[in-house]
Amino acid sequence: MTIMNHLPMNFGGLEAQYAIYDTAHVVILPVPYEATTTLRAGTREGPGAIIRASRGMELYDEELRIEPYQCGIHTLDEPELSLATMESPHRQIEEIVDSLIIDGKFPIVVGGEHSLSLGPVRAFAKRYPDLTVLQLDAHADLRQAYNDTPYSHACIGRRILEVCPLVQVGIRSLSREEADFLNQGQIENILFASDLLYGRRTFADYLARMRDNVYVTIDLDAFDPSEMPAVGTPEPGGLGWYQVLDILRQVSSNRNIVGVDVVELCPLPGNVAPDFLAAKLIYKIVGQEFADILT
C-alpha cells in the first residue's frame, strides 16, 4: 500500500483543516460531463484522474516559495447532472457556480468536456458586467452548431461570445465555417499559436484588450501534444508549460481573475504524466491568485 492511499480523496490530499468549505478560499468543482466529444471519448474520467494525481504533488511552490494549499482548498462532490435536455446540465452548473460566487469562493471547475464552460461563464457574467473570457485552446470552437446541437464542445467559443467578450490564445485549428465567421469581423481577439510562437504577436497586445475581470477557460489541448497527449483532439504546434504559466501570470498580475476551468483531459492508461500536469497547473493557478495572503 502506498502513502497516497492514506491521504484524503480531495484535491491535494489535504488534511481536513485545509479542506473545510467555510474557511476555504478555493473550491474545486469536478464535473465529469461528456456528451459531445468527437475524436476520442474519455473526458468524463478527467476530474477523477486530476484529483488522484494531485494527491501526489509536492505542496510547496518553488517559484513562489509558499504552500498554496494553506489558503484552503475545498473539493466538492461531483454533481448529478440532469440530461433532460442538452441545456439542462449547463443550467445546473451555472447555479452551482453562482452559489460559490455568492459565498465568496474562487471556483475552479474541472472537466469534463469543454462545453461545460458555458455555465460558469453565464454565472460570472451576471455578477461582473465587465467580464472578459480568456480561452486557451487549440481549437476556435466557433461553430454555430455541431452534430445538430449548439451545445457541442466545438461551439463553446460561439456560445461565450453571446454572453461577453472573448480572447482566444493558442488557436491552430478551425473549420471553413469558423474562418468565414472570423473574416466577417465577428471576433478580432484571437492569437494564433503560430503568431505567438514565431514572435509575430505578443500576448501583451491581447491582454490590453481585456476588461478588469477575467474568467479563464483552459482546454488542455492548448498545450503541445508532446507535453499533453491526453486530450480528445490533439493538435501539433501547441504551447509549452512555461508559456502557459507566463500567460496566466500576466493576467493574474494585471487583471482580476474571478474563476477558472480546466477541461478536456482524456486520461491515457499507463501514462499519468498528463494527469499530473493538469493537477499542477491548477495548483499553480491557486498559488498565483493567493500568494498575497500567504506571504
Side-chain angles (χ1 to χ4, degrees):
M1 182 175 293
T2 65
I3 294 175
M4 284 179 57
N5 290 335
H6 296 288
L7 296 175
M9 186 55 73
N10 58 36
F11 186 86
L14 303 181
E15 298 175 8
Q17 62 178 321
Y18 296 108
I20 299 169
Y21 181 86
D22 289 345
T23 55
H25 284 80
V26 177
V27 172
I28 304 292
L29 172 59
V31 184
Y33 176 70
E34 181 176 38
T36 70
T37 50
T38 45
L39 182 61
R40 193 169 74 90
T43 57
R44 63 186 176 276
E45 306 296 336
I50 291 171
I51 290 172
R52 287 191 297 274
S54 74
R55 296 162 71 238
M57 295 186 307
E58 293 287 2
L59 297 178
Y60 177 78
D61 188 299
E62 79 288 351
E63 293 181 286
L64 297 171
R65 300 185 180 183
I66 60 173
E67 294 177 297
Y69 75 91
Q70 292 185 354
C71 73
I73 305 174
H74 178 79
T75 305
L76 292 173
D77 292 333
E78 296 176 354
E80 293 185 13
L81 298 177
S82 168
L83 301 179
T85 68
M86 289 298 291
E87 188 175 17
S88 297
H90 305 295
R91 289 297 183 190
Q92 284 182 267
I93 297 168
E94 177 183 350
E95 291 173 2
I96 296 169
V97 172
D98 191 54
S99 69
L100 297 176
I101 298 171
I102 292 172
D103 286 349
K105 306 302 182 183
F106 184 86
I108 300 181
V109 182
V110 182
E113 68 169 61
H114 203 175
S115 68
L116 63 82
S117 300
L118 180 59
V121 170
R122 284 174 169 172
F124 278 105
K126 288 190 299 186
R127 305 287 175 178
Y128 297 90
D130 61 345
L131 187 72
T132 298
V133 172
L134 170 62
Q135 176 186 350
L136 301 183
D137 206 321
H139 308 89
D141 294 339
L142 292 171
R143 288 177 165 90
Q144 178 58 34
Y146 191 68
N147 286 343
D148 300 321
T149 176
Y151 295 105
S152 169
H153 71 114
C155 307
I156 184 59
R158 192 74 166 262
R159 298 289 79 77
I160 290 172
L161 275 174
E162 296 169 351
V163 178
C164 66
L166 173 66
V167 173
Q168 298 181 313
V169 176
I171 308 302
R172 53 196 190 276
S173 178
L174 67 163
S175 65
R176 167 58 66 182
E177 173 194 345
E178 293 166 299
D180 291 343
F181 181 71
L182 293 174
N183 290 334
Q184 294 167 9
Q186 298 297 323
I187 178 174
E188 297 178 352
N189 298 332
I190 181 168
L191 177 53
F192 290 99
S194 58
D195 287 336
L196 179 63
L197 298 175
Y198 285 125
R200 292 189 290 259
R201 296 179 183 272
T202 68
F203 176 70
D205 296 331
Y206 293 81
L207 176 62
R209 306 177 191 186
M210 298 183 195
R211 298 171 172 180
D212 288 341
N213 293 297
V214 177
Y215 179 84
V216 181
T217 175
I218 304 172
D219 185 326
L220 290 167
D221 64 27
F223 287 94
D224 190 80
S226 63
E227 296 194 37
M228 173 48 73
V231 292
T233 47
E235 293 285 346
L239 307 180
W241 171 254
Y242 288 105
Q243 286 177 307
V244 170
L245 290 186
D246 183 60
I247 288 169
L248 295 174
R249 188 177 298 111
Q250 290 184 58
V251 180
S252 181
S253 298
N254 295 280
R255 297 293 186 273
N256 177 40
I257 297 180
V258 296
V260 176
D261 67 56
V262 176
V263 298
E264 292 285 345
L265 179 71
C266 191
L268 296 172
N271 185 358
V272 297
D275 310 350
F276 276 91
L277 185 153
K280 191 69 174 285
L281 178 65
I282 291 169
Y283 198 57
K284 284 285 190 180
I285 292 170
V286 173
Q288 288 181 6
E289 287 303 300
F290 292 95
D292 288 348
I293 70 171
L294 295 174
T295 53

